[in-house]
Amino acid sequence: MKRFLLLLLLILLGLQATAQARLTIEIVGGAEGAQPIAVVPFRSDAGGAPVEDVAQVIAADLARTGRFKPMPGRDMLATPHTAEEVDLRDWRLQSMDNLVVGEVVRQSDGNYEVRFVLIDVFRGEQLANMTFRSHQAELRFTAHRIADTIYERLTGQPGVFTTRIAYVTSEWGVEGQRIVLRVSDADGHNPQTIVASKDPILSPAWSPDGRRLSYVSFEKRQIAIYVQELATGRRERVAAYKGINGSPAWSPDGSRLAMTLSRDGNPEIYVMDMASRSLTRLTDSIGIDTEPSWSPDGNHIIFTSGRGGNPQIYKIPATGGEATRVTFEHDYNGRASYAPDGRSMALVTRVNGQFRIGLLDQTTGVTRLLSNGGLDESPSFSPNGTMVIYATQHNGRGVLAAVSVDGRVSQRLSQDLGDVREPAWSPILR
Amino acid sequence: MNKRFTTVAAFFVAALLLAGCPSKPVKEPEPEPEPEPVAPPVSEVRTAAVPERGLPPEFNDPSNPLYQRVIYFDYDSSDILPQFIEVLRAHSLYLSTHPRANLVLEGHSDERGTREYNLALAEQRTHTVRRFMLAEGVAGKQLETLSYGEEKPAHPGHDEESWALNRRVELVY
């Protein structure tokens, strides 16, 4: 009886957890001038087994970027599944720029073949014609790969639909507060627990190969920096000195980890060589120095410093040297990180007492606001540089929001229960 | 399955387990939970009147300054406000006359600004309190500092009143 009850409890709690843990995405800002595209529902030869709606996943991915406006299925005059079945006139009539058709075919070994064709309707040209082999459990991922391909062919930039997002949730349960570091697909699906604790977890940072996460955890009343391998769950405490051990940031080649340590009494920026674990101290000021972030070429580090009286962004060579001030607008600038092309940086800035996400253009020195909340924080670029995800408040709860850097589209990612914060967008995973 | 049903059923089963079956705890692989108790209700945190077991009676006497074990700070500041000097002197005197007593200074900030900067700011608050106590004759080995930044608010609100209650150093014996 006891065993049965335990099992039942576990199952029920498990159901609860999956019901609550998923992030749901809501598009909250419209997109003008989005390209019309038709993604025809794929022919599914599933042999009765339930199969992921591949076309729907692709269409949702494309719509979330704000660059595409997928045609509703009910407006389609025809539903072709192969290039041969397409009559271009059906689509020209409805001013579709592009058309995606495809099919999901079950193989004798139980796996699936997903075929798709991307057609430029005006020119009548095939822009892509590909076949992916996929396990049933990976059909959703395959749909994201197809969306990546379509996005890249049509915009010239890599798609990021197969990337992932790390974030921290805080929930109250029977045992008190529970802080969980999770990783989900970029569309909020497939959340996985990386670490769960009763104590705070913050500042997740992806290694450049996307295989490891570094984060700060307060387990056992000791603030420490951990590095955890995602595939195995194996982790290592890399910094647990006296005082603060915070703000881990990987160098672009993954060989070094910048961090904030206050072991000498004051928070300073250090760089740890991951092979030898040796530390180099970069800063020496009486104010707070924290939140290091690498330039894409790895040559210098930007960080937040209170040395001038209020928090501003400074820049220092990664091997040490003179720090120079980067931000001059607004009286609070923090947590800056470079866009992948290095031309701009996302940061937290205070305007009229409101903390918002800003995009600082390096050449003009002008900061453009990307968000309009009051407590917005923790901006993180998508690896293709088109979006910034950040933490904000909605109806008194912590949620994530993503905005395109051109400001055309914004979306909200929230969980059924609890707060979500500290998003970190993964690199492009190969 | 209906979520409400699963909730109710889960609690029901949990209650049965707790009532009838003193068994091995159900746990997922996660860091060892520390023995620290769950945060008390907000009303208790407001007045800092959480009686602690094992502490001498003067700590639970509201008319004694040792009763107060939380001090508050101005926004973006780690300066000790004049109204808390007496409290800190009383604790310093207690520590210097009880050399075997130890104190952890837990620093906190409000939620405005970035998390890591607030971690540093809250640590600075613990350092100013520590320096004050050292000057009052407390031995360095009796004091430990720990900064939580904005991660453990005493009050969950997003307004001036909550923020004022969250910018604090807690004196934990």
Side-chain angles (χ1 to χ4, degrees):
Chain A
M1 179 63 177
K2 195 163 83 183
R3 187 171 279 180
F4 167 73
L5 283 175
L6 266 176
L7 189 66
L8 184 59
L9 176 65
L10 282 174
I11 292 169
L12 290 168
L13 288 175
L15 283 172
Q16 275 294 90
T18 43
Q20 293 165 4
R22 208 184 98 194
L23 290 178
T24 47
I25 300 193
E26 237 178 300
I27 308 234
V28 287
E32 277 176 48
Q35 271 189 52
I37 187 168
V39 185
V40 180
F42 282 25
R43 171 156 50 216
S44 173
D45 161 30
V51 158
E52 211 55 75
D53 188 342
V54 172
Q56 203 270 323
V57 173
I58 297 169
D61 280 350
L62 295 172
R64 277 202 320 280
T65 65
R67 295 197 178 195
F68 296 96
K69 191 178 168 208
M71 183 187 215
R74 60 174 184 277
D75 294 347
M76 293 177 187
L77 299 174
T79 53
H81 303 294
T82 61
E84 296 72 42
E85 291 170 20
V86 170
D87 184 341
L88 287 171
R89 287 170 301 184
D90 291 339
W91 308 98
R92 285 180 182 147
L93 197 64
Q94 291 182 295
S95 310
M96 281 298 113
D97 290 355
N98 293 289
L99 171 68
V100 178
V101 298
E103 50 190 340
V104 180
V105 184
R106 192 181 158 92
Q107 305 294 291
S108 53
D109 62 2
N111 287 329
Y112 291 83
E113 245 181 43
V114 185
R115 304 174 191 143
F116 85 97
V117 189
L118 168 65
I119 299 165
D120 178 326
V121 171
F122 184 71
R123 294 202 179 89
E125 270 171 29
Q126 288 188 17
L127 302 178
N129 184 340
M130 295 168 82
T131 300
F132 291 97
R133 277 183 62 77
S134 171
H135 196 268
Q136 183 172 351
E138 290 166 355
L139 280 171
R140 195 176 176 89
F141 181 75
T142 302
H144 291 316
R145 286 175 70 190
I146 294 173
D148 276 351
T149 309
I150 294 168
Y151 186 86
E152 182 154 20
R153 294 289 155 91
L154 296 180
T155 68
Q157 289 172 310
V160 291
F161 309 115
T162 48
T163 59
R164 301 162 94 188
I165 293 165
Y167 54 93
V168 174
T169 63
S170 159
E171 294 147 25
W172 285 90
V174 268
E175 285 179 32
Q177 199 177 17
R178 194 173 129 92
I179 312 282
V180 186
L181 172 60
R182 291 197 165 95
V183 167
S184 79
D185 293 349
D187 65 353
H189 282 252
N190 298 323
Q192 287 166 293
T193 296
I194 304 304
V195 63
S197 174
K198 286 185 172 185
D199 296 303
I201 298 171
L202 69 159
S203 302
W206 291 89
S207 66
D209 62 6
R211 293 192 182 137
R212 286 165 295 167
L213 271 179
S214 184
Y215 56 86
V216 174
S217 171
F218 283 76
E219 292 155 42
K220 297 172 187 160
R221 298 170 69 83
Q222 163 71 60
I223 173 172
I225 299 173
Y226 293 80
V227 170
Q228 183 165 331
E229 202 175 68
L230 296 186
T232 61
R234 209 171 52 214
R235 67 174 194 164
E236 199 184 340
R237 203 169 75 166
V238 298
Y241 298 97
K242 188 167 161 285
I244 292 171
N245 299 267
S247 281
W250 297 86
S251 63
D253 66 1
S255 69
R256 287 165 293 168
L257 197 63
M259 58 185 68
T260 302
L261 303 177
S262 66
R263 60 177 197 164
D264 295 332
N266 195 48
E268 306 285 355
I269 309 296
Y270 289 75
V271 171
M272 179 182 276
D273 179 83
M274 293 309 279
S276 67
R277 296 294 157 88
S278 64
L279 284 169
T280 308
R281 179 165 154 178
L282 290 194
T283 60
D284 184 7
S285 79
I286 50 162
I288 293 168
D289 290 327
T290 188
E291 299 171 336
S293 178
W294 297 76
S295 61
D297 62 11
N299 287 340
H300 65 265
I301 285 172
I302 48 174
F303 62 99
T304 311
S305 179
R307 63 186 65 191
N310 52 33
Q312 295 293 343
I313 307 302
Y314 290 74
K315 165 179 176 173
I316 195 167
T319 48
E322 197 73 29
T324 51
R325 188 167 160 176
V326 174
T327 50
F328 294 93
E329 270 186 298
H330 311 146
D331 62 356
Y332 191 119
N333 288 292
R335 189 114 171 204
S337 57
Y338 275 106
D341 67 7
R343 287 189 199 144
S344 58
M345 53 180 83
L347 43 75
V348 175
T349 192
R350 182 169 60 194
V351 188
N352 302 324
Q354 305 293 303
F355 289 88
R356 296 195 166 150
I357 307 304
L359 188 71
L360 170 63
D361 184 318
Q362 294 259 87
T363 42
T364 63
V366 175
T367 302
R368 185 160 52 83
L369 296 180
L370 290 180
S371 77
N372 55 13
L375 291 166
D376 300 343
E377 60 179 359
S378 310
S380 172
F381 273 101
S382 65
N384 64 0
T386 60
M387 308 277 291
V388 172
I389 193 166
Y390 60 95
T392 184
Q393 302 278 325
H394 182 64
N395 295 334
R397 281 179 45 205
V399 300
L400 306 183
V403 60
S404 59
V405 293
D406 58 15
R408 287 209 308 194
V409 72
S410 60
Q411 50 197 249
R412 189 185 305 130
L413 299 87
S414 58
Q415 212 174 251
D416 295 354
L417 283 175
D419 293 305
V420 193
R421 56 188 183 229
E422 295 284 90
W425 210 315
S426 81
I428 288 175
L429 306 165
R430 304 283 177 202
Chain B
M1 198 188 293
N2 181 312
K3 205 159 90 186
R4 185 184 233 155
F5 167 74
T6 61
T7 313
V8 171
F11 276 115
F12 176 69
V13 176
L16 271 180
L17 275 170
L18 286 173
C21 318
S23 79
K24 279 176 260 170
V26 182
K27 262 191 202 154
E28 26 172 319
E30 62 182 61
E32 278 299 302
E34 62 177 46
E36 194 185 31
V38 170
V42 165
S43 59
E44 288 179 79
V45 174
R46 271 173 189 273
T47 56
V50 190
E52 282 175 47
R53 269 168 296 160
L55 281 177
E58 59 262 41
F59 282 80
N60 295 328
D61 170 8
S63 66
N64 192 311
L66 293 174
Y67 180 79
Q68 191 169 350
R69 293 193 286 284
V70 185
I71 65 160
Y72 299 95
F73 293 81
D74 278 342
Y75 176 63
D76 201 14
S77 163
S78 54
D79 296 341
I80 294 165
L81 294 167
Q83 61 265 41
F84 299 110
I85 301 256
E86 190 203 338
V87 173
L88 291 181
R89 285 219 168 104
H91 284 282
S92 301
L93 182 63
Y94 179 82
L95 287 164
S96 55
T97 53
H98 295 79
R100 296 179 67 181
N102 294 313
L103 179 65
V104 181
L105 302 166
E106 283 189 6
H108 301 268
S109 73
D110 69 30
E111 63 182 342
R112 289 174 294 172
T114 65
R115 288 177 182 271
E116 289 277 1
Y117 196 82
N118 284 337
L119 200 56
L121 181 61
E123 187 189 55
Q124 288 194 334
R125 288 178 178 149
T126 66
H127 286 173
T128 38
V129 174
R130 185 172 191 274
R131 276 197 299 273
F132 180 96
M133 290 184 151
L134 292 179
E136 291 286 316
V138 178
K141 64 175 182 347
Q142 288 177 280
L143 298 173
E144 211 181 295
T145 59
L146 177 61
S147 172
Y148 280 111
E150 64 176 279
E151 307 301 322
K152 285 195 166 184
H155 199 278
H158 307 293
D159 48 37
E160 292 289 347
E161 194 196 353
S162 308
W163 292 331
L165 292 167
N166 290 334
R167 294 188 299 265
R168 68 201 194 278
V169 166
E170 295 190 10
L171 281 50
V172 182
Y173 279 90

